Amino acid sequence: MNTSMESTVVALKEFLDEDQVSVNQTVRELHSKDESYHDASLPDVVVFPKTAADVSKIMNVANNLQVPVVPFGRGSSLEGHVIPYENGITIDFSLMDKILEVREKDLLVKVQPGVTRTQLNKELKKYGLFFSVDPGADATLGGMAATNASGTTTVKYGVMRDQVRDLEVVLADGTIIHTGNLAAKSASGFHLNGLFVGSEGTLGCFTELTLKVYGIPEFTTAARAVFPTVKNAVEAVTSILQAGIPIARVELVDESSIRQVNKFSGTDYADKPTLFLEFDGNEAGLKQDVEFTKEIMQDHNCEEIQFETDNTARTKLWDARHNLAYAYIHGHVGKKMMVTDVCVPISELADAVIFARKELDAIDLPGGILGHVGDGNFHALLMIDISNPEELAKAETFNEKIVLYALERNGTCTGEHGVGVGKQKYQVAEHGEALQVMEKIKLALDPNNILNPNKIVQIEKMDK
Amino acid sequence: MNTSMESTVVALKEFLDEDQVSVNQTVRELHSKDESYHDASLPDVVVFPKTAADVSKIMNVANNLQVPVVPFGRGSSLEGHVIPYENGITIDFSLMDKILEVREKDLLVKVQPGVTRTQLNKELKKYGLFFSVDPGADATLGGMAATNASGTTTVKYGVMRDQVRDLEVVLADGTIIHTGNLAAKSASGFHLNGLFVGSEGTLGCFTELTLKVYGIPEFTTAARAVFPTVKNAVEAVTSILQAGIPIARVELVDESSIRQVNKFSGTDYADKPTLFLEFDGNEAGLKQDVEFTKEIMQDHNCEEIQFETDNTARTKLWDARHNLAYAYIHGHVGKKMMVTDVCVPISELADAVIFARKELDAIDLPGGILGHVGDGNFHALLMIDISNPEELAKAETFNEKIVLYALERNGTCTGEHGVGVGKQKYQVAEHGEALQVMEKIKLALDPNNILNPNKIVQIEKMDK
């Protein structure tokens, strides 16, 4: 540790307890990586604040000494968001993990940033409520807001940004602001909620979140539908959406992935493009929706369709989808997973998935395709040996092809995983001159570029 | 016109046709006011661009000469948004009124900013689609995006910001950017869509909008429900929302307003707090929802409930609600309407409406209360003689009391009308230090403060 970092640690210990400031090697290593294939990098020091006031003081120290700061939830990001490539201070929010208030009548909940989504849903169940956003990992809500996470329920309930009513944010200079209020809508001032959600720790640290929650639906039905081709499956979904059927979840799993799941879970599903669906609502409405859905599916050459309403059977059916990533990881010990994440206009989705499959076959690396097809978002999961530069390069080239294909069709390089470091090289191609607007905002709010520096936007390094 | 404005007009005429640049007194007067009670102020010159390139060149001229610019749709704003208090150039978008593309499969439409919402819905009907946001006026979509408009369908379909997938924006220096893409979700970069929507012309001019549209629902039912008290009516709505019944519209009309409507329309509705409701969806689901809704209403002392499914009868029933503003204006010739616009957490709504009614009775000005109760947003409509300073002062004091009541309960000073000049004095109270973040963003993107200056944020006047 250099002298400058030593004085940082001294300054931090002036207001934090001994056990809230760690320079321990193991602790630093735990905060040096995320769940991605991106290279690790150590923070100099890890701090564990308990209050917004703590965070404010930490930011004061960092800003005065121009030390980089990375906010850290659970480290489940997939594009290197929390990896401190400039070292400095990592703020771990695990001690700020309280559910502060459930406002039943307002369908709102107030939480600290370290609360995880399963922790929240366990509490909400007591009230007959649930929180909708479900990324694969049991991420913290602070982290999910920072990356604008989404998941399988987005087609009905929206992304993380749609759930955030208010954030308490500590800015680069330690100022504490609120970005919203508790009203269901507002036309007052610039939309700071939306700006801070998805800012990946580059504009401020979240110390409190007020989130929308929903009543647990009266009735839920799950389905599995098998199609001869990806095109048929995707077009069936397009027709369902155009018909205005309020589908709660719809996931595409391609034939390779079904094979992987069968091997992992001992199921014997037909290894063909398969949709996993879920509908929720009232019983009578759902029955009518299900009948209509069946008709639409048959129009698109559906070969087999299975509905389950019973809770256990539904869970079993969806297990295949949920276990997909594990099935690949388990089947390829020693390899790391790279996941592509483009989102395209729905009308372009079928062709995009077919393109991705063809390219995936061509590079001859194990992998499959999985899509949140209601949103036009799909992932290619690739198993790679990151110590093998050739494999890594092949995977990177594949990822790039998928991204450029999406951008040419007015899509986005990342539907839900975020930019981090992995998607930074596509920001100019995607945003054009709008990227300069983002840079101006970043510099206006964080002139010393200390907040998760060089994630999303690349700012010229300051002289220190 | 001073010399500086003369040279501005000369510069504008270098690339705009004779009929695209007007200094005509009548044209300037048409652009000196909106539909509110706020004082008028003349622009020096009104321009009518036909393309984004025109707008870019106009902004170049304005930025070089440091002349204020106000974008103008239809002038239907309610808080003085389009009134050019600093004079300068008003950009009227009426010549940019083309529907550019209907992407049926993507449920998207691309329009120019001067297209109005009824013009769009007329076109969409051919495709079995509709655009959901319905403010009272037949506003332009550019204007609706600029103010983050909403209306009666927000409880189900969301506000204007929720519909905007992409904007083409001309910035203060003439740069043209896109704020989004055509994918249903994205985690790439800062959320510029959200930032520009609701920026009221202070950050840029919109020259193209890509908006979400919806399939026209299979089945629609309307209802009118009469309650003994406002509290009963609002609590019935809270229970319906908590039960997860997907209500498409729910409006509260108070007893005074029902009396005004009866007088205007010749109806004989009971002059008691009344809910106007609409449900849409599939027929079987709707029937179950309607039965459940009736039960809930009865639990809250509903005295009378009338359902209509036939199109004509539904329209007739909703006429009472739609004609409300006209009923007041028609009944008070020579007076102007002031409309309050707070939004509070749903749990605070009943008390807030009761408070507003009590205060309204106390000032003894004619008026009534109307609420988008599904969102916690309500309006008090007051008829005032703006030439009478005492009446105006009474109305202003009333408005302030309502605003402060809402802010104390973590609500907002404006649910849907926007800040303009009318709500600027409450921005510090509502946003606290977050207002400085807005100021920093404004200055970073418009350093000369030429874009609708001193709306939303107050920037120190530049030396010219």
Side-chain angles (χ1 to χ4, degrees):
Chain A
M1 195 182 303
N2 58 31
T3 344
S4 140
M5 273 319 295
E6 270 170 21
S7 49
T8 303
V9 171
V10 170
L12 291 167
K13 284 189 176 169
E14 270 176 30
F15 57 91
L16 293 173
D17 292 340
E18 197 64 35
D19 61 352
Q20 288 182 273
V21 184
S22 178
V23 292
N24 171 292
Q25 180 70 12
T26 312
V27 173
R28 288 165 63 211
E29 274 170 13
L30 280 171
H31 295 84
S32 70
K33 54 184 190 289
D34 63 3
E35 287 184 8
S36 72
Y37 63 99
H38 297 290
D39 292 338
S41 172
L42 287 175
D44 294 303
V45 53
V46 182
V47 291
F48 299 85
K50 290 178 181 166
T51 63
D54 283 351
V55 179
S56 173
K57 286 179 198 160
I58 293 164
M59 290 310 306
N60 273 325
V61 168
N63 203 35
N64 290 338
L65 301 175
Q66 305 209 7
V67 176
V69 169
V70 174
F72 188 99
R74 271 271 178 114
S76 54
S77 60
L78 292 171
E79 290 292 358
H81 305 67
V82 296
I83 306 177
Y85 287 111
E86 315 267 327
N87 317 108
I89 304 170
T90 284
I91 306 184
D92 180 309
F93 284 94
S94 56
L95 298 184
M96 291 179 72
D97 65 344
K98 311 286 173 301
I99 297 167
L100 300 172
E101 192 184 1
V102 179
R103 290 175 70 113
E104 259 184 288
K105 274 196 176 179
D106 292 316
L107 296 170
L108 290 176
V109 62
K110 199 175 280 190
V111 299
Q112 289 189 311
V115 171
T116 70
R117 63 179 187 87
T118 57
Q119 180 192 346
L120 177 60
N121 271 324
K122 202 175 149 192
E123 178 65 19
L124 289 176
K125 207 173 175 182
K126 298 176 194 164
Y127 300 85
L129 299 171
F130 77 105
F131 180 71
S132 60
V133 186
D134 65 339
D138 186 21
T140 63
L141 293 160
M144 286 165 65
T147 55
N148 190 27
S150 53
T152 66
T153 61
T154 304
V155 64
K156 178 159 182 180
Y157 296 95
V159 298
M160 192 67 190
R161 186 175 283 121
D162 300 314
Q163 321 306 328
V164 174
R165 194 64 65 81
D166 182 36
L167 294 171
E168 183 182 74
V169 181
V170 179
L171 301 176
D173 65 359
T175 306
I176 301 175
I177 63 164
H178 277 263
T179 59
N181 54 62
L182 302 192
K185 65 183 197 188
S186 174
S188 180
F190 300 157
H191 190 50
L192 299 186
N193 271 345
L195 179 66
F196 280 87
V197 174
S199 64
E200 301 186 0
T202 65
L203 299 180
C205 294
F206 307 158
T207 48
E208 199 180 287
L209 303 90
T210 302
L211 304 169
K212 273 172 76 175
V213 297
Y214 301 88
I216 294 173
E218 180 199 332
F219 205 79
T220 304
T221 299
R224 185 178 60 86
V226 180
F227 292 84
T229 66
V230 161
K231 205 170 182 81
N232 284 144
V234 171
E235 287 182 347
V237 174
T238 308
S239 299
I240 292 167
L241 292 174
Q242 279 182 299
I245 297 172
I247 209 161
R249 288 185 157 113
V250 53
E251 302 279 303
L252 171 73
V253 177
D254 80 342
E255 52 266 55
S256 315
S257 305
I258 291 282
R259 270 195 295 276
Q260 197 70 34
V261 165
N262 280 340
K263 223 190 289 178
F264 178 76
S265 312
T267 44
D268 59 349
Y269 293 142
D271 53 352
K272 292 194 169 176
T274 303
L275 293 178
F276 290 83
L277 303 105
E278 202 172 274
F279 304 85
D280 60 32
N282 76 39
E283 191 168 354
L286 227 58
K287 277 189 180 151
Q288 188 175 331
D289 284 342
V290 161
E291 284 314 307
F292 196 12
T293 301
K294 276 186 192 166
E295 278 175 36
I296 292 173
M297 297 236 177
Q298 267 139 24
D299 290 346
H300 292 279
N301 305 325
C302 178
E303 295 180 348
E304 180 193 344
I305 185 160
Q306 171 198 5
F307 279 90
E308 300 288 358
T309 52
D310 167 75
N311 198 26
T312 319
R314 273 196 289 123
T315 308
K316 193 165 171 277
L317 189 152
W318 268 81
D319 270 351
R321 159 64 188 85
H322 286 308
N323 291 334
L324 189 52
Y326 293 106
Y328 274 109
I329 292 165
H330 193 84
H332 301 89
V333 179
K335 295 203 168 201
K336 278 260 187 183
M337 183 176 272
M338 175 193 272
V339 190
T340 75
D341 179 39
V342 299
C343 189
V344 295
I346 306 283
S347 61
E348 299 284 354
L349 182 64
D351 287 343
V353 170
I354 293 164
F355 172 81
R357 185 69 253 178
K358 217 182 93 210
E359 293 293 327
L360 189 53
D361 290 341
I363 57 169
D364 198 28
L365 285 176
I369 288 170
L370 163 68
H372 307 307
V373 282
D375 316 316
N377 181 210
F378 70 93
H379 308 300
L381 314 178
L382 272 81
M383 299 311 301
I384 51 176
D385 174 1
I386 55 166
S387 70
N388 178 339
E390 204 188 314
E391 267 193 26
L392 195 59
K394 268 206 284 190
E396 289 276 11
T397 306
F398 168 75
N399 201 338
E400 179 156 306
K401 278 189 186 171
I402 305 293
V403 168
L404 297 181
Y405 184 97
L407 294 184
E408 276 161 22
R409 283 148 189 87
N410 237 315
T412 176
C413 68
T414 169
E416 56 185 16
H417 295 168
V419 177
V421 290
K423 292 292 166 60
Q424 201 178 47
K425 53 181 168 290
Y426 307 118
Q427 294 298 291
V428 175
E430 175 159 347
H431 300 294
E433 303 216 56
L435 192 60
Q436 286 164 36
V437 172
M438 298 181 202
E439 285 166 5
K440 284 180 184 169
I441 293 170
K442 164 71 176 175
L443 274 176
L445 302 189
D446 178 19
N448 293 322
N449 191 26
I450 56 166
L451 277 162
N452 210 358
N454 302 324
K455 305 286 165 60
I456 301 185
V457 290
Q458 197 90 32
I459 304 289
E460 292 293 307
K461 199 153 180 162
M462 306 282 129
D463 292 324
K464 286 192 191 166
Chain B
M1 196 182 303
N2 59 31
T3 343
S4 141
M5 275 316 299
E6 271 169 20
S7 49
T8 303
V9 171
V10 169
L12 291 167
K13 286 191 174 166
E14 270 175 30
F15 57 89
L16 293 174
D17 293 339
E18 197 64 36
D19 61 352
Q20 289 181 274
V21 184
S22 178
V23 291
N24 173 291
Q25 181 69 11
T26 312
V27 172
R28 288 165 64 211
E29 273 169 15
L30 280 171
H31 295 84
S32 70
K33 54 184 190 290
D34 64 2
E35 288 184 7
S36 72
Y37 64 98
H38 297 290
D39 293 338
S41 172
L42 288 174
D44 294 305
V45 53
V46 182
V47 291
F48 299 84
K50 291 179 181 165
T51 62
D54 283 350
V55 179
S56 173
K57 286 179 197 157
I58 295 164
M59 290 309 307
N60 273 325
V61 168
N63 203 35
N64 290 338
L65 302 175
Q66 303 208 5
V67 176
V69 170
V70 175
F72 188 100
R74 272 268 177 117
S76 54
S77 60
L78 292 171
E79 290 292 0
H81 305 67
V82 296
I83 305 177
Y85 287 110
E86 315 266 328
N87 318 109
I89 305 169
T90 284
I91 306 185
D92 180 311
F93 284 95
S94 55
L95 298 184
M96 293 179 70
D97 66 344
K98 312 284 174 301
I99 296 167
L100 301 171
E101 191 183 4
V102 178
R103 292 175 69 112
E104 258 184 289
K105 273 196 176 180
D106 292 315
L107 296 171
L108 290 176
V109 62
K110 198 175 279 190
V111 299
Q112 289 188 313
V115 172
T116 70
R117 64 180 185 86
T118 58
Q119 180 192 348
L120 177 60
N121 271 324
K122 204 175 147 191
E123 178 66 19
L124 289 176
K125 208 173 174 182
K126 299 177 192 163
Y127 300 85
L129 300 170
F130 77 104
F131 179 71
S132 61
V133 186
D134 65 339
D138 186 22
T140 63
L141 294 160
M144 287 166 65
T147 55
N148 190 27
S150 54
T152 67
T153 61
T154 305
V155 63
K156 178 159 181 179
Y157 296 96
V159 299
M160 191 68 190
R161 186 175 283 120
D162 299 315
Q163 321 307 327
V164 174
R165 193 65 65 80
D166 182 35
L167 294 171
E168 184 182 73
V169 181
V170 179
L171 301 175
D173 65 0
T175 307
I176 301 174
I177 63 163
H178 277 263
T179 58
N181 54 61
L182 302 193
K185 65 183 196 188
S186 174
S188 180
F190 299 156
H191 190 49
L192 298 186
N193 272 344
L195 178 67
F196 280 87
V197 175
S199 63
E200 301 187 0
T202 65
L203 299 180
C205 294
F206 307 158
T207 48
E208 200 179 285
L209 303 91
T210 302
L211 304 169
K212 272 172 77 175
V213 296
Y214 301 88
I216 294 173
E218 180 199 333
F219 204 78
T220 304
T221 298
R224 185 178 61 85
V226 180
F227 292 83
T229 67
V230 161
K231 205 169 182 82
N232 285 145
V234 171
E235 286 182 347
V237 175
T238 308
S239 298
I240 293 168
L241 292 174
Q242 279 182 300
I245 297 173
I247 208 161
R249 288 184 158 113
V250 52
E251 302 279 303
L252 171 73
V253 177
D254 80 342
E255 52 267 54
S256 314
S257 306
I258 291 282
R259 271 196 294 275
Q260 198 70 35
V261 164
N262 280 339
K263 222 189 291 178
F264 178 76
S265 312
T267 44
D268 60 347
Y269 294 142
D271 51 353
K272 293 194 169 176
T274 302
L275 292 178
F276 291 83
L277 302 104
E278 202 172 272
F279 304 84
D280 61 32
N282 76 38
E283 193 168 352
L286 227 56
K287 279 192 178 148
Q288 187 174 333
D289 283 340
V290 161
E291 285 314 308
F292 196 12
T293 301
K294 277 186 192 166
E295 276 175 38
I296 292 173
M297 298 238 175
Q298 267 139 23
D299 289 346
H300 292 278
N301 304 324
C302 178
E303 295 180 349
E304 182 195 340
I305 186 161
Q306 173 199 3
F307 278 90
E308 299 288 358
T309 52
D310 167 75
N311 198 27
T312 320
R314 274 197 288 123
T315 308
K316 192 163 172 282
L317 189 151
W318 268 81
D319 270 351
R321 159 64 189 87
H322 286 309
N323 292 334
L324 189 51
Y326 292 107
Y328 274 108
I329 291 165
H330 193 84
H332 300 89
V333 178
K335 295 202 168 202
K336 280 258 188 183
M337 183 177 273
M338 176 193 270
V339 191
T340 74
D341 178 40
V342 299
C343 190
V344 294
I346 307 282
S347 61
E348 299 283 356
L349 182 63
D351 287 342
V353 170
I354 292 163
F355 173 80
R357 183 69 253 176
K358 216 183 94 210
E359 293 294 328
L360 190 53
D361 290 341
I363 57 169
D364 198 29
L365 285 175
I369 288 171
L370 162 71
H372 308 306
V373 283
D375 316 316
N377 181 210
F378 70 93
H379 308 300
L381 315 178
L382 272 80
M383 299 311 301
I384 52 175
D385 173 2
I386 55 166
S387 69
N388 179 340
E390 205 186 313
E391 268 194 25
L392 196 58
K394 270 206 284 189
E396 289 277 11
T397 307
F398 168 76
N399 201 337
E400 179 156 307
K401 278 189 185 169
I402 306 293
V403 167
L404 297 181
Y405 185 97
L407 295 184
E408 276 161 23
R409 282 147 188 89
N410 238 315
T412 175
C413 67
T414 170
E416 56 185 16
H417 295 169
V419 178
V421 289
K423 292 293 167 60
Q424 201 178 48
K425 51 183 168 294
Y426 307 117
Q427 293 298 291
V428 175
E430 175 158 347
H431 300 294
E433 304 217 57
L435 192 60
Q436 286 164 37
V437 172
M438 298 182 203
E439 285 167 4
K440 283 180 185 168
I441 292 171
K442 164 72 176 175
L443 274 175
L445 302 190
D446 178 19
N448 294 322
N449 191 25
I450 56 165
L451 277 162
N452 211 359
N454 302 324
K455 307 286 165 59
I456 301 184
V457 291
Q458 197 90 32
I459 304 289
E460 291 294 306
K461 199 154 179 160
M462 306 282 130
D463 292 324
K464 284 193 190 161

